[in-house]
Amino acid sequence: MLIKKCEKCGDKISWLKVFISIMSGFTNIKCDKCQTEYYIISSYRLIIVVSVSFPLFLRNQILKILSPQFYSILAILWLIFMLSLSPFLLRTYVKKH
């Protein structure tokens, strides 16, 4: 969802709205204007979760190279970077009735 517009009414769906959806457990996103509900594609949920937690998977290998304090700083910076980028990575669809 590259901060796109609603498919039905053309209203913009904000980065903040998508970010709140991600932070609240990948809840569905509703258009403010026409109430169209967008569902998150499950494979993108996995992509975001893995990319955000990536430093944790490589923790032991990274700690062989870096000090624990430097690792913590890098992990926090990575978390902030990926969480701020995640609304741009998310893809959605509208259920057809």
Side-chain angles (χ1 to χ4, degrees):
M1 174 175 244
L2 297 171
I3 307 305
K4 64 177 196 174
K5 296 180 180 182
C6 177
E7 294 174 9
K8 290 190 178 180
C9 70
D11 195 33
K12 285 188 179 180
I13 299 172
S14 71
W15 175 92
L16 183 60
K17 190 171 197 71
V18 178
F19 183 75
I20 290 170
S21 167
I22 292 169
M23 295 307 292
S24 58
F26 295 98
T27 57
N28 298 334
I29 302 165
K30 276 191 179 179
C31 174
D32 291 330
K33 193 173 184 181
C34 69
Q35 300 302 312
T36 300
E37 193 163 8
Y38 291 89
Y39 297 88
I40 298 168
I41 298 172
S42 56
S43 59
Y44 285 93
R45 292 178 189 189
L46 180 64
I47 290 169
I48 290 172
V49 168
V50 169
S51 62
V52 166
S53 57
F54 185 71
L56 294 175
F57 297 133
L58 299 177
R59 184 176 184 275
N60 291 336
Q61 288 75 19
I62 294 172
L63 284 175
K64 291 177 185 175
I65 302 168
L66 303 174
S67 69
Q69 295 84 5
F70 194 60
Y71 167 77
S72 297
I73 292 169
L74 284 179
I76 290 169
L77 290 174
W78 178 263
L79 177 69
I80 292 168
F81 173 72
M82 288 309 299
L83 285 176
S84 62
L85 186 65
S86 61
F88 297 104
L89 300 174
L90 199 63
R91 299 294 180 265
T92 60
Y93 66 95
V94 177
K95 279 190 181 176
K96 308 276 187 209
H97 295 286

